[in-house]
Amino acid sequence: MTTRIAADESRGEVAADEPGTVQLFVTAAASTADLLADELMAFGAGAPHAENAGVSCQGSLETAYRICLWSRVAVRVLWPVATFRAVDADGLYAGVRAVDWAAHLGADDTLAVDFSARTGSGITHSHYGALRVKDAIVDQFRERCGARPSVDVAAPSLRINVRMDRDVVTVAIDLAGDSLHRRGYRARQLAAPLKENVAAAILLRSGWPQVAAAGGSFVDPMCGSGTLPIEAALIAGDVAPGMLRERFGFSRWRKHDETCWQRLLEDARQRRAAGRIAPGRIVGFDRDASAVHVAADNARRAGLQEVVEFHRCELASLPAAPAKTGLLAVNPPYGERLGSEDELEALYTLLGEKLREGFVGWQAAVFTGNPPLGRALGIEARRAHRMYNGALECRLLRLEIDPARYARKREPGRPPPFDAEAARARRGAQMFANRLRKNLRQLRSWARREAVSCYRLYDADMPEYAFAIDLYQSDPEGTAGRWLYVQEYAAPAEIDRGAAKARREEVLASLPAVTGVLVDDVYMRTRRRQKGTAQYDKLAELGQFETVEEGGLRFLVNFTDYLDTGLFLDHRPVRAQLRDMARGKRFLNLFAYTGTASVCAAAGGAAATLTVDLSHTYLDWAARNLDLNGLAGRQHVFERADCLAWLARDDGRRFDLVFLDPPTFSNSKSMASDFDVQRDHVSLIRQAAGRLAPDGLLLFSSNLRRFKLDAAGLGGLGIRDISAATVPKDFVRNARAHHCFEIRGS
């Protein structure tokens, strides 16, 4: 029943009619309005029209039920019960109270009110508007029967939706009750899961219904909790997405037509039975075993365990396409789950490689909140759609895996192509070049005098050019090789991207001319604040190593595959100090990374060294560094272990000299728990100090700029801050390059 209040707002006079159809309003993301309109017409709705936050259409109660049961992109279905004019809260109250609410719920039922108002309406506070609506309803019940419905915002008998557009108020029953994206199959979810209706919209936009009808297969290489594969199976199997829900908003509505609803459910069951698809056509992969377990459990709850397969698999090991044709759809990370632009770019580059290697002839859909990363795929997008994941604007990149659409591949770590001549001509480039020349003159003579081969040439000296630039040489003269490693500090969100790009080009254009380093020997990374990832994640697989010199020792560095090169230049004095102190001592290197400290200790005559790190890759690198200097021997041991767990289980071994340089933060999958150096350094240092032999010395270092040692928490230990003495000349512009402490046992 639709109630229209057409008299003055204060009296709320009512005229009612009961048409067979009403003007339904179905909410959805604005970017999916066209998909929703197509669905509504298929469900028998008339005259669909996109409006703000949804689509209006004409439909019967059966039509509304069909939308609730079958729509893959809708959020809510609103059945109007009244429209009236109101200019303020009193008018709103009067209009709502004029509706016969006993026709919709009873005094012993519960209710919840959702209220929204556009700018220019007489009520701007949604909570206040909802409160006045609730008051009007319960006051009517209290006046008529002396009892009133109570409020239950979580699972009400009836959810009432009120929209105020200037002075026009629409009151409706929310037939969905809860957002329709909640299908009912998700028991557990991972961080930031893709909503089911967004996943369905991705698949519909990407042509999956047509691909599935033609017998094509489906793959998601980063499936997370399995939303895309499960939604793909629901579409391919002609399964109504609402079949699994335990209740809808109309379930306890007094005008609910249970006979009609059961007829629609039976039809949906028959369609599902007739539309079963063969196992193996829909597959999801993920590197995280726990995600695979959650995805499989979700598929089981959806009744699709016989249809959808999930497997643990690293992206680098993704198998080739299981069929000649199909759709690969993926929602890769785009800024929150990985810490740097370089990590993300490497991930997208690898994804593009796997597509080109194993999925020729397929379609692909890449949903990303960082559209520029799409270029790293190396495949030109046939079409891009603007969509939203919550409030985040994203792009759906639709690709054809066809060699004709492959873009020219860019080597990881290399800057993108640009007009270097034009960039050098800009005034900013000339200013930067002058500063770089000045730094080079001052540091070159010092480096030669001190026999320093690798040093920091520039470190954000000019705030508008936020870069760190390191010069690496094979020897102090660079006779066999010279390289520049450029690290851009990511610009804040408020900085215009075009301006940041221009400054990057000015820096890169100036470097070869000022330093004499060849363009092909300039490498670049972008450093961002890390969020929830290990410190040294791998970025590429080129395996190209160069050899540089420090203090007469040689070390392997890599400019392409990792965020860091393998040699921390600011630790040069610390390594020299360890070398001077190591003779005849038992040396322990924790969080050893590439083992450079172990090499220095061995070169200083350590009686034995133990190098501990969690990574096979870095332990192998450390062993190669030791061998490169002719220092390998049985007295030098490498042990793969989580350093936190290793320290926790004391095996009785004691050491005369310990170097402890933990990451700022780590949550590696192989670790028992995450690690935060500021939060956890007291317990870490105490455990490491417990491994000292009598008169032993622990050197603790941290690169967290804001690190503060908790001296009170470390009471009883002898502590000396040697930070200033261990920051080298080329890092003095950054007074907090690192913090370093000598620590002795009690």
Side-chain angles (χ1 to χ4, degrees):
M1 181 172 101
T2 302
T3 302
R4 291 184 175 84
I5 298 176
D8 104 10
E9 295 82 2
S10 62
R11 294 197 306 271
E13 296 178 4
V14 179
D17 58 345
E18 297 190 20
T21 62
V22 298
Q23 193 71 19
L24 297 169
F25 187 72
V26 186
T27 69
S31 59
T32 62
D34 60 325
L35 297 174
L36 178 57
D38 290 343
E39 285 190 329
L40 297 181
M41 286 191 292
F43 301 150
H49 175 69
E51 298 181 13
N52 183 44
V55 176
S56 64
C57 65
Q58 296 174 1
S60 64
L61 185 58
E62 180 173 333
T63 304
Y65 285 168
R66 287 188 185 276
I67 299 169
C68 289
L69 182 60
W70 281 98
S71 178
R72 302 186 189 278
V73 299
V75 176
R76 297 186 183 276
V77 182
L78 305 180
W79 180 272
V81 295
T83 58
F84 56 88
R85 293 186 180 278
V87 297
D88 55 21
D90 290 339
L92 173 68
Y93 177 92
V96 172
R97 185 161 178 172
V99 177
D100 180 13
W101 287 105
H104 301 285
L105 77 164
D108 57 346
D109 285 327
T110 58
L111 63 88
V113 178
D114 296 326
F115 180 88
S116 62
R118 295 188 64 180
T119 302
S121 302
I123 300 176
T124 57
H125 196 286
S126 60
H127 179 71
Y128 177 64
L131 186 64
R132 293 299 288 152
V133 171
K134 182 268 297 181
D135 288 345
I137 297 171
V138 300
D139 287 351
Q140 181 191 98
F141 273 95
R142 189 182 289 114
E143 179 183 272
R144 290 183 178 181
C145 60
R148 50 152 287 183
S150 58
V151 174
D152 181 352
V153 296
S157 305
L158 198 69
R159 184 173 292 275
I160 300 159
N161 182 282
V162 180
R163 292 181 294 151
M164 192 170 187
D165 186 354
R166 298 185 185 275
D167 64 343
V168 177
V169 178
T170 303
V171 182
I173 304 302
D174 183 348
L175 298 184
D178 196 5
S179 174
L180 291 174
H181 86 268
R182 295 188 173 94
R183 315 290 202 219
Y185 61 73
R186 195 194 296 275
R188 290 187 293 152
Q189 62 185 34
L190 307 177
L194 190 66
K195 286 186 176 180
E196 293 87 333
N197 60 335
V198 176
I202 290 170
L203 297 170
L204 295 174
R205 283 253 185 263
S206 303
W208 168 240
Q210 295 77 24
V211 173
S217 293
F218 178 88
V219 169
D220 180 354
M222 303 179 203
C223 67
S225 58
T227 310
L228 278 168
I230 292 172
E231 291 295 318
L234 294 176
I235 292 172
D238 197 23
V239 180
M243 282 188 68
L244 296 173
R245 286 171 61 112
E246 294 181 356
R247 64 178 299 272
F248 287 86
F250 56 74
S251 300
R252 288 182 280 177
W253 181 36
R254 288 194 165 184
K255 291 186 177 294
H256 171 47
D257 186 341
E258 182 66 16
T259 301
C260 176
W261 175 242
Q262 289 300 325
R263 185 175 70 252
L264 293 176
L265 280 179
E266 181 57 29
D267 176 68
R269 294 186 191 102
Q270 292 178 12
R271 287 175 60 173
R272 175 171 186 156
R276 293 186 64 84
I277 58 177
R281 281 182 57 194
I282 299 176
V283 187
F285 300 94
D286 201 278
R287 64 180 296 185
D288 187 343
S290 62
V292 172
H293 179 76
V294 170
D297 187 53
N298 288 338
R300 179 188 59 77
R301 290 172 57 85
L304 298 169
Q305 66 272 22
E306 303 295 331
V307 176
V308 186
E309 296 180 4
F310 292 102
H311 303 282
R312 184 186 178 280
C313 181
E314 298 281 348
L315 179 61
S317 303
L318 182 70
K324 289 184 178 180
T325 61
L327 173 70
L328 181 147
V330 61
N331 174 36
Y334 36 78
E336 293 301 318
R337 283 180 283 170
L338 291 176
S340 77
E341 192 78 10
D342 293 294
E343 292 173 271
L344 292 167
E345 184 174 342
L347 181 72
Y348 280 66
T349 299
L350 179 59
L351 175 60
E353 290 174 358
K354 303 308 293 186
L355 288 172
R356 294 191 298 273
E357 288 173 4
F359 290 83
V360 175
W362 274 47
Q363 306 291 316
V366 180
F367 186 66
T368 177
N370 194 336
L373 287 171
R375 292 192 292 268
L377 294 168
I379 305 171
E380 296 177 1
R382 177 169 61 87
R383 190 170 179 186
H385 301 273
R386 178 180 297 170
M387 296 179 64
Y388 286 84
N389 188 9
L392 180 65
E393 183 177 321
C394 301
R395 292 292 185 277
L396 173 62
L397 307 177
R398 294 173 57 187
L399 315 173
E400 290 182 1
I401 316 305
D402 182 339
R405 291 188 170 272
Y406 295 172
R408 185 172 63 86
K409 183 179 178 182
R410 179 160 64 92
E411 182 181 345
R414 298 291 188 181
F418 65 97
D419 188 340
E421 185 175 351
R424 274 193 300 272
R426 296 199 287 264
R427 183 171 180 270
Q430 296 167 15
M431 292 171 56
F432 174 79
N434 289 337
R435 174 56 64 94
L436 197 64
R437 289 191 188 94
K438 178 182 177 181
N439 288 359
L440 189 59
R441 280 196 306 271
Q442 293 176 346
L443 291 171
R444 181 179 285 159
S445 58
W446 161 80
R448 287 176 175 170
R449 184 172 62 253
E450 300 292 330
V452 173
S453 303
C454 307
Y455 54 92
R456 178 146 294 182
L457 186 56
Y458 175 93
D459 197 352
D461 302 32
M462 303 166 68
E464 61 269 38
Y465 292 92
F467 294 82
I469 301 172
D470 297 327
L471 174 65
Y472 286 79
Q473 301 180 111
S474 57
D475 56 69
E477 300 298 327
T479 56
R482 302 174 77 232
W483 306 269
L484 286 173
Y485 195 67
V486 182
Q487 300 171 78
E488 179 180 14
Y489 298 116
E494 62 268 20
I495 299 298
D496 179 72
R497 285 194 174 189
K501 178 175 179 289
R503 290 169 183 165
R504 182 186 313 123
E505 292 176 350
E506 291 163 9
V507 168
L508 294 171
S510 302
L511 290 175
V514 175
T515 65
V517 175
L518 299 176
V519 172
D520 287 345
D521 291 328
V522 177
Y523 296 86
M524 183 175 179
R525 293 288 186 216
T526 302
R527 298 198 78 100
R528 300 179 183 274
R529 178 175 294 182
Q530 293 179 319
K531 299 177 182 179
T533 185
Q535 188 174 11
Y536 310 125
D537 285 344
K538 197 164 189 177
L539 306 180
E541 301 279 354
L542 298 184
Q544 297 176 354
F545 289 84
E546 307 292 349
T547 302
V548 298
E549 182 181 309
E550 178 182 289
L553 298 173
R554 295 189 296 167
F555 297 99
L556 294 171
V557 293
N558 183 296
F559 300 116
T560 58
D561 294 359
Y562 307 86
L563 184 57
D564 293 297
T565 65
L567 182 66
F568 295 138
L569 302 188
D570 63 300
H571 276 173
R572 190 186 315 112
V574 177
R575 287 189 289 268
Q577 183 174 342
L578 289 170
R579 185 174 181 177
D580 291 340
M581 300 170 65
R583 179 164 297 280
K585 294 181 178 176
R586 295 161 294 175
F587 175 70
L588 171 62
N589 186 5
L590 293 167
F591 299 98
Y593 189 36
T594 59
T596 54
S598 299
V599 172
C600 290
T609 66
L610 176 59
T611 302
V612 183
D613 198 275
L614 185 57
S615 167
H616 280 302
T617 298
Y618 291 118
L619 285 178
D620 178 68
W621 195 334
R624 292 172 64 191
N625 276 334
L626 208 68
D627 189 59
L628 185 64
N629 291 279
L631 296 170
R634 295 178 61 184
Q635 72 274 31
H636 302 302
V637 178
F638 300 88
E639 188 169 333
R640 180 179 180 268
D642 170 4
C643 290
L644 302 177
W646 188 90
L647 284 169
R649 53 177 190 273
D650 189 344
D651 59 5
R653 287 179 288 180
R654 295 295 180 264
F655 302 86
D656 307 299
L657 183 61
V658 176
F659 182 50
L660 178 60
D661 181 30
T664 296
F665 177 83
S666 182
N667 66 348
S668 167
K669 293 186 302 178
S670 301
M671 294 176 62
S673 61
D674 66 353
F675 173 80
D676 181 292
V677 70
Q678 184 62 64
R679 181 192 68 200
D680 301 325
H681 73 274
V682 170
S683 60
L684 176 67
I685 289 173
R686 284 201 173 278
Q687 286 184 314
R691 293 303 187 96
L692 289 173
D695 298 323
L697 175 66
L698 166 67
L699 259 65
F700 170 78
S701 176
S702 174
N703 284 84
L704 177 63
R705 290 176 58 83
R706 298 178 181 177
F707 178 79
K708 291 184 179 180
L709 189 79
D710 184 356
L714 294 170
L717 297 177
I719 301 173
R720 186 165 74 97
D721 188 343
I722 60 171
S723 302
T726 59
V727 174
K729 178 180 175 64
D730 48 323
F731 281 83
V732 293
R733 293 183 299 279
N734 179 1
R736 293 184 292 178
H738 66 240
H739 305 267
C740 195
F741 303 87
E742 286 185 350
I743 300 174
R744 299 182 185 276
S746 55

